[in-house]
Amino acid sequence: SLPDVWLAVEKDGRHRDHDWVVQLDPAAAFLPGRLRWRLKTSGGAAAQRRYIETDSGCGSADALQVISMPAFEALLKGTETCQKQLHQQPAGTGEFLRGCLDLLKASPMEEFSGILSDNSGERGLCPISPCWDSSKVAFSSFKSAQDLLACLREAQECSMSRNGEVISCSGRRQ
């Protein structure tokens, strides 16, 4: 379960060397440089109990979780309380994680909404973002490793300006 993973991370201890903890679905293409740039502009949020709400509204909320260190430390200490009070939600879901963080007085960083793109294309209602879209830090729901790697290649072929905007992509139009 997810709480077991958190306890393993706590035991390992390396998370304490960082301001943020990132949990990622293995079927997601993640661009840490894009996230790092966005977090640098967040004005001290790393020192507070904050988390990034990544639900795209398309069922991919569990694909990416980003939690500040104070919120993660509170989560580690409060997991048992959350399990007792949020027993109706499975402990391995993003819904449980968000409910637990809210219970522990962490607040979502709504200015980061939309940083995750669900690229499954199955629902027809959810727009698929091209991997060069600099407003996204992760792209989820790939059906194959080849598709995931193609997305990463496309994103890496793009040059970004200092303010995070895409300025050129090898032969692609923005």
Side-chain angles (χ1 to χ4, degrees), residues 89-107:
Q89 298 171 346
T93 65
E95 186 176 331
F96 173 83
L97 177 62
R98 286 184 303 281
C100 186
L101 287 167
D102 290 343
L103 183 68
L104 299 170
K105 307 288 189 237
S107 56

Side-chain angles (χ1 to χ4, degrees), residues 105-170:
K105 307 288 189 237
S107 56
M109 297 176 66
E110 292 165 3
E111 65 272 26
F112 280 79
S113 67
I115 64 169
L116 172 67
S117 175
D118 182 329
N119 282 28
S120 65
E122 292 178 358
R123 295 171 188 84
L125 301 172
C126 301
I128 295 176
S129 296
C131 295
W132 53 258
D133 182 346
S134 65
S135 71
K136 310 296 181 199
V137 303
F139 303 85
S140 69
S141 304
F142 289 99
K143 301 293 182 215
S144 71
Q146 292 90 344
D147 290 344
L148 187 148
L149 292 172
C151 179
L152 285 173
R153 272 191 305 279
E154 181 179 316
Q156 290 168 344
E157 289 172 359
C158 297
S159 300
M160 306 214 5
S161 68
R162 287 181 172 237
N163 68 357
E165 297 297 318
V166 173
I167 53 175
S168 69
C169 286
S170 305

Side-chain angles (χ1 to χ4, degrees), residues 65-113:
Q65 304 292 340
V66 183
I67 308 167
S68 71
M69 188 52 58
F72 189 70
E73 292 291 339
L75 183 66
L76 292 173
K77 291 179 182 130
T79 297
E80 192 173 312
T81 299
C82 291
Q83 287 175 318
K84 288 177 185 172
Q85 293 193 27
L86 303 172
H87 55 83
Q88 76 278 8
Q89 298 171 346
T93 65
E95 186 176 331
F96 173 83
L97 177 62
R98 286 184 303 281
C100 186
L101 287 167
D102 290 343
L103 183 68
L104 299 170
K105 307 288 189 237
S107 56
M109 297 176 66
E110 292 165 3
E111 65 272 26
F112 280 79
S113 67

